Amino acid sequence: MTSSGGWTSSSDNGNLSTELSALAKSPRLLLMLDFDGTISPIVPTPEEAEIDKEIENILTDLEKLPSTEIWIVSGRSLEDLKNKVHFKNLIGSHGIECPFSAEEKIDCDDISKLKNDIECLLKNYRGIQIEQKVYSVSIHYRNADAGDEESIRDIVKKNSGNFAITEGKKVIELRAKGKNKGDACQMLIDHAGCEASIYVGDDITDEDAFRALKEKSVTIKIGSGETDATYRLKCIDDLRLILKKLLEERSLL
Ligand SMILES: [Mg+2]
């Protein structure tokens, strides 16, 4: 496989270049992108995460083109996400906070109790950050001692109660059971009526979207690890080049 436009292709990436050109030419185009690790580099704590400025500029230019929608689909709460990006189209809490679905009735007291319980159980471990979101609790252990990682994961999983467990990159998320990114993106596509769409993500919760959108979207995973996405890019730098190509080609229409 050859390189195209500067981004590294592999045999996995078969027709990505051709698919991008087709997307660029479609009458209506929907771009769905995860935030952390996809359009913002992974950093030690969630608060430090910032959108990649060049990607932000490219997406902003794309959004100005006719019939082109940008949606950010994140595990962060909508409130949190609004402070991270200026785009108006947002889906938060892994799809639970989605403008096309009635929000699940979730008892916030349960989330607070879960957070307090986990905090108490992990109080003797260093470098843990526990983040309470609207519908979930995230336990970050990126800064914990490497030898403690397994016990931390065990404790969290054994005490997850009725919450869905999702493991990401040095984070375990306990999430109120309900909608996921796949359900939300499916609703979004139905609502937008776009015949062409692309979904890009880097982590376990994006796999729900990759699976749900397999037949109808161009799906791209950033980074290593097993995936149901059709294509894979090594890093955010490659995504930047892909989006630039999409912008250049769509601007010519
Ligand atoms: Mg991510």
Side-chain angles (χ1 to χ4, degrees), residues 1-180:
M1 178 79 198
T2 53
S3 265
S4 174
W7 46 275
T8 312
S9 303
S10 70
S11 54
D12 292 347
N13 278 344
N15 297 320
L16 179 53
S17 185
T18 315
E19 290 225 51
L20 286 172
S21 297
L23 282 181
K25 292 187 186 78
S26 65
R28 282 171 302 173
L29 174 62
L30 180 60
L31 285 97
M32 298 168 281
L33 304 112
D34 164 52
F35 180 74
D36 293 271
T38 298
I39 58 170
S40 75
I42 294 284
V43 286
T45 65
E47 295 79 24
E48 292 170 67
E50 277 183 16
I51 189 167
D52 176 278
K53 288 298 162 208
E54 204 178 328
I55 288 184
E56 184 178 43
N57 291 339
I58 297 169
L59 291 177
T60 303
D61 287 347
L62 266 166
E63 201 173 36
K64 286 179 193 154
L65 297 176
S67 303
T68 309
E69 283 189 34
I70 309 289
W71 282 78
I72 309 300
V73 184
S74 174
R76 291 176 182 259
S77 68
L78 276 188
E79 204 184 327
D80 185 6
L81 201 50
K82 279 178 195 159
N83 294 323
K84 295 289 182 188
V85 294
H86 68 72
F87 302 103
K88 62 182 187 303
N89 297 326
L90 307 173
I91 290 176
S93 301
H94 297 296
I96 295 176
E97 292 183 292
C98 170
F100 313 111
S101 62
E103 284 188 13
E104 304 288 313
K105 292 264 176 290
I106 288 161
D107 188 343
C108 291
D109 289 346
D110 286 352
I111 309 265
S112 298
K113 183 181 179 309
L114 177 74
K115 189 221 175 201
N116 293 339
D117 290 351
I118 298 282
E119 208 159 47
C120 192
L121 290 162
L122 294 178
K123 65 175 186 294
N124 294 327
Y125 292 91
R126 295 189 309 170
I128 307 266
Q129 189 186 3
I130 302 181
E131 187 191 4
Q132 182 175 342
K133 304 182 194 176
V134 185
Y135 300 107
S136 63
V137 175
S138 294
I139 298 96
H140 300 266
Y141 55 91
R142 184 171 299 278
N143 302 317
D145 295 338
D148 289 339
E149 290 185 2
E150 204 178 324
S151 351
I152 292 165
R153 285 205 303 270
D154 273 358
I155 290 173
V156 173
K157 285 188 210 168
K158 279 180 188 149
N159 293 281
S160 56
N162 196 30
F163 286 75
I165 303 169
T166 309
E167 291 204 60
K169 292 172 180 167
K170 304 284 183 188
V171 58
I172 302 186
E173 186 153 82
L174 303 177
R175 182 160 46 98
K177 287 178 179 166
K179 300 265 183 299
N180 61 36

Side-chain angles (χ1 to χ4, degrees), residues 207-223:
E207 294 296 325
D208 292 322
F210 294 148
R211 279 188 291 275
L213 306 178
K214 210 165 182 72
E215 304 300 323
K216 50 197 83 155
S217 266
V218 174
T219 53
I220 302 179
K221 153 107 175 166
I222 307 282

